Amino acid sequence: MSRLIYLNDDYLPLEQAHVSVLDRGFLFGDGVYEVIPAYGGMPFRLKEHLQRLENSLSAIRMEPPLDRHQWLAIFTRLLDQLGDADQQLYLQVTRGAYDKRLHAMPEQVTPTVLVMSNPLSQRDPELVQRGLSVITLEDIRWQRCDIKAITLLANILSQQQAREQGAEEAILVRDGLATEGTASNLFMVKEGLIITPPKSNHLLPGITRDLVLELAMEAGLPCAEATIRVEELEQADEIWITSSTKEVMPVTRLDDRPVANGRPGPMWEKMDALYAACKKRLRQRNQASEQCYE
Ligand code: PDD
């Protein structure tokens, strides 16, 4: 029996899950999403992901279709299928199917809600050791990058350009400022200071980004939210990118030139260890079977 996914109040095998061709997600990209990692069967930073989902929904003028307890019940049921394995929950809410293709938001429409869980692919240890290669690209996205919208064409085009140039990610640049990656947030280290761009409409408020800042502060590592000019990035001692699926990845090549000595740096090593410890605490808490929203 294949794994079940959640679609509009139902639990179904993937092959039996269907959405109308009139769905506004399909026709317009009119919807939002979340990717939530789960370790040892426990969603990681659940409260923060659900808060961002509510923010994204409110920004596109939608009410949350489910409350936090209902979300958790769905996640638990889906995660249980793979037990303690590390997983990633994918959650998508679109404005739903309406009987006409109409740009304006219809008044009476039922949202489409999809949740699925898949094994979380482990980071490639070789890549972690070598570090990522990134290129910088002009940010061709819109002015509301703070919304986790399913409309990702600009991200896809930029990611593809990076791949075609032999890199793993593109760092997007707007008005001379490096903001984030196509699917990740950006950090740099300069003279012992960890720096990430401040939140704005030009970047996604990453859950991993916030956690990294939190962990740095707890550990007494100096950190700051400040804009990063491309020229500053070129002079960085270390560059990292972060996301729920990549965690904290070192970047060792920028536009085909080595970052500092071209190897993952000591601050990254510290942060990677802090992040791993945080995941471990969540797993242990699950074993003590305590409900957790970390
Ligand atoms: N993307 N910026 C962008 C544009 C992203 O798409 C993502 C994550 C991030 C990092 O956010 P977080 O730390 O909350 O995962 C930043 C997800 C993983 C994706 O689209 O698959």
Side-chain angles (χ1 to χ4, degrees):
M1 169 87 168
S2 64
R3 274 203 317 278
L4 302 180
I5 66 153
Y6 172 92
L7 180 64
N8 302 330
D9 290 333
D10 258 337
Y11 291 91
L12 305 159
L14 187 65
E15 318 77 66
Q16 286 172 30
H18 299 292
V19 175
S20 164
V21 293
L22 287 173
D23 193 276
R24 293 177 60 93
F26 180 62
L27 291 178
F28 294 111
D30 186 0
V32 297
Y33 76 108
E34 277 297 323
V35 177
I36 310 172
Y39 302 112
M42 302 283 282
F44 192 48
R45 299 253 125 182
L46 182 58
K47 198 166 31 84
E48 290 80 359
H49 279 282
L50 291 181
Q51 183 60 56
R52 185 173 63 186
L53 174 69
E54 284 168 20
N55 296 347
S56 295
L57 285 167
S58 149
I60 67 163
R61 305 195 206 175
M62 284 184 70
E63 296 289 329
L66 299 169
D67 68 29
R68 291 184 177 205
H69 289 98
Q70 290 171 315
W71 287 121
L72 183 59
I74 296 168
F75 299 160
T76 305
R77 175 147 181 205
L78 295 180
L79 290 170
D80 274 353
Q81 300 179 101
L82 284 177
D84 279 357
D86 292 349
Q87 298 177 55
Q88 53 180 321
L89 290 158
Y90 178 82
L91 177 173
Q92 177 171 311
V93 181
T94 76
R95 205 176 303 278
Y98 189 62
D99 61 6
K100 280 200 291 290
R101 183 179 175 278
L102 188 75
H103 282 72
M105 298 173 186
E107 269 173 26
Q108 292 288 325
V109 62
T110 310
T112 300
V113 180
L114 164 73
V115 189
M116 46 193 184
S117 186
N118 288 299
L120 180 63
S121 13
Q122 296 305 310
R123 297 185 305 176
D124 175 356
E126 240 171 71
L127 200 56
V128 178
Q129 221 191 3
R130 157 166 80 76
L132 299 178
S133 178
V134 306
I135 58 168
T136 51
L137 283 182
E138 191 61 34
D139 194 345
I140 56 169
R141 299 175 304 164
W142 64 334
Q143 295 286 349
R144 289 306 307 271
C145 300
D146 53 322
I147 304 174
K148 199 158 172 62
I150 58 172
T151 333
L152 288 171
L153 205 43
N155 304 58
I156 291 169
L157 287 171
S158 306
Q159 166 79 208
Q160 186 60 23
Q161 191 170 334
R163 298 280 160 165
E164 285 167 8
Q165 288 180 222
E168 280 93 20
E169 176 62 306
I171 301 299
L172 305 173
V173 178
R174 204 186 286 248
D175 300 327
L177 301 179
T179 54
E180 65 173 341
T182 67
S184 56
N185 287 111
L186 172 68
F187 283 79
M188 79 168 202
V189 179
K190 187 70 189 172
E191 286 156 12
L193 180 66
I194 301 169
I195 305 166
T196 193
K199 288 182 187 172
S200 76
N201 57 319
H202 293 149
L203 56 99
L204 187 80
I207 306 302
T208 321
R209 169 199 181 277
D210 286 356
L211 176 58
V212 164
L213 286 178
E214 226 178 275
L215 292 173
M217 278 186 267
E218 269 170 32
L221 303 173
C223 58
E225 295 178 271
T227 54
I228 300 178
R229 300 198 60 79
V230 182
E231 308 84 72
E232 292 172 312
L233 198 61
E234 285 163 359
Q235 299 302 314
D237 298 329
E238 296 184 28
I239 300 176
W240 317 332
I241 57 167
T242 64
S243 85
S244 295
T245 48
K246 293 184 203 74
E247 306 178 3
V248 188
M249 282 293 282
V251 171
T252 49
R253 288 190 80 75
L254 175 73
D255 289 328
D256 245 347
R257 282 188 295 272
V259 174
N261 65 6
R263 287 199 297 274
M267 284 291 248
W268 168 79
E269 260 173 47
K270 275 188 203 164
M271 184 50 67
D272 195 49
L274 291 171
Y275 198 92
C278 190
K279 282 167 45 181
K280 194 168 161 200
R281 282 200 297 276
L282 181 65
R283 283 202 187 91
Q284 282 167 345
R285 226 179 289 184
N286 187 27
Q287 278 157 11
S289 69
E290 203 181 294
Q291 195 52 266
C292 173
Y293 279 89
E294 189 169 359

